[in-house]
Amino acid sequence: VQLQASGGGLVQAGGSLRLSCAGSGRTFSNYVVGWFRQALGKEREVVAFISDSGRLTSYADSVKGRFTISRDNGKNTVYLQMNSLKPEDAAVYYCAAGTNWNSHYRYYDYWGQGTLVTVSS
């Protein structure tokens, strides 16, 4: 499956962005999809992930209550709505697809190219 992430940009602290991850190729609805981020000099970390059906979601503690992951399998797209953004949310955000319900990036086989989120204070 091929993934294309988009929607990043520059936003002020407290603002919002919505990231999109468009899938193509293999049946997108068969995959768990996760959003990960990597800030400069830091390890890649999970932000949120969603089950193939969309019924299950999981979030990193740092984004709970502020970010929402969702998917529209009819459009082969997973979204990450990010509200109340903080400077520490700034990173390159990646979407990834895999077949395991797991938060660690090693379990995801397919990756998008990343989209940069910058948050000014």
Side-chain angles (χ1 to χ4, degrees), residues 72-96:
D72 183 342
N73 284 338
K75 295 183 179 179
N76 287 346
T77 303
V78 170
Y79 304 98
L80 184 69
Q81 178 67 43
M82 306 188 295
N83 298 329
S84 303
L85 281 159
K86 303 176 181 180
E88 52 263 42
D89 294 318
V92 178
Y93 282 70
Y94 301 88
C95 61

Side-chain angles (χ1 to χ4, degrees), residues 34-37 44-47 92-94 96 103 105 108 111:
W35 283 100
F36 297 81
R37 67 187 181 187
R44 189 169 298 190
E45 62 178 3
V46 66
V47 175
V92 178
Y93 282 70
Y94 301 88
S103 64
Y105 61 80
Y108 291 78
W111 289 81

Side-chain angles (χ1 to χ4, degrees), residues 10-112:
L10 172 63
V11 64
Q12 287 189 330
S16 298
L17 282 174
R18 189 177 80 157
L19 305 184
S20 297
C21 176
S24 61
R26 296 172 183 247
T27 307
F28 187 70
S29 60
N30 288 347
Y31 292 90
V32 174
V33 175
W35 283 100
F36 297 81
R37 67 187 181 187
Q38 188 165 18
L40 193 63
K42 294 189 176 181
E43 189 174 344
R44 189 169 298 190
E45 62 178 3
V46 66
V47 175
F49 53 109
I50 188 167
S51 64
D52 51 2
S53 67
R55 286 194 288 267
L56 297 177
T57 59
S58 182
Y59 296 90
D61 288 342
S62 59
V63 306
K64 280 181 183 176
R66 299 188 298 121
F67 291 10
T68 302
I69 189 170
S70 61
R71 69 189 298 163
D72 183 342
N73 284 338
K75 295 183 179 179
N76 287 346
T77 303
V78 170
Y79 304 98
L80 184 69
Q81 178 67 43
M82 306 188 295
N83 298 329
S84 303
L85 281 159
K86 303 176 181 180
E88 52 263 42
D89 294 318
V92 178
Y93 282 70
Y94 301 88
C95 61
T99 56
N100 290 287
W101 181 250
N102 199 290
S103 64
H104 200 283
Y105 61 80
R106 72 179 63 163
Y107 291 96
Y108 291 78
D109 302 309
Y110 305 98
W111 289 81

